[in-house]
Amino acid sequence: MKQSDKLFLRTENKEGKCTVFVGGELDLESAAQMRAVMSPLVELSDRELALNLRELRYVDSTGIGILVSVLKARHAKNAPFVVEAVPPNIRKLFDMTGITPFLLKQAGQA
């Protein structure tokens, strides 16, 4: 588990699925930490990659950019990727920016 004052990340691997639990604030200040955790996981095309955002309180445009980058990289590898447990305030931001159909459609939440 990697942790800063603002962003909390925990990775869990089980049954062909790698889940990254994201909590706190995903923004410019914490972007490098998020990228460092996600980079090797994006390459694991033999299993589903899931981001669980249940504990995420805030995301800015930099954080959204990271999510879209992960989505694009996984799509290019034809590897499954889902975003789960999106809090209402984060879902509203996804809706306003127009990324909801891309991030949540695979999880059956759109």
Side-chain angles (χ1 to χ4, degrees):
M1 177 156 136
K2 289 193 155 228
Q3 184 171 321
S4 73
D5 290 340
K6 294 180 66 169
L7 182 68
F8 308 93
L9 300 168
R10 180 173 60 86
T11 304
E12 180 180 279
N13 285 291
K14 57 166 88 161
E15 300 171 9
K17 181 178 181 179
C18 177
T19 303
V20 179
F21 294 87
V22 183
E25 299 178 15
L26 178 55
D27 57 14
L28 180 61
E29 186 178 328
S30 60
Q33 179 184 349
M34 181 71 171
R35 282 190 192 102
V37 168
M38 294 306 298
S39 276
L41 300 177
V42 167
E43 300 301 318
L44 301 175
S45 58
D46 64 330
R47 68 190 75 170
E48 179 179 52
L49 177 60
L51 290 181
N52 183 304
L53 305 183
R54 179 172 284 121
E55 300 297 324
L56 187 64
R57 293 186 314 266
Y58 174 79
V59 62
D60 71 359
S61 60
T62 304
I64 288 174
I66 292 170
L67 298 178
V68 171
S69 294
V70 170
L71 174 69
K72 287 180 178 180
R74 295 294 286 185
H75 181 74
K77 294 184 170 301
N78 200 27
F81 174 66
V82 295
V83 178
E84 307 171 331
V86 180
N89 63 317
I90 304 297
R91 171 68 186 251
K92 185 176 180 181
L93 181 62
F94 289 177
D95 290 346
M96 288 188 320
T97 58
I99 64 170
T100 300
F102 304 102
L103 287 180
L104 303 183
K105 69 178 177 180
Q106 295 174 9
Q109 299 178 33

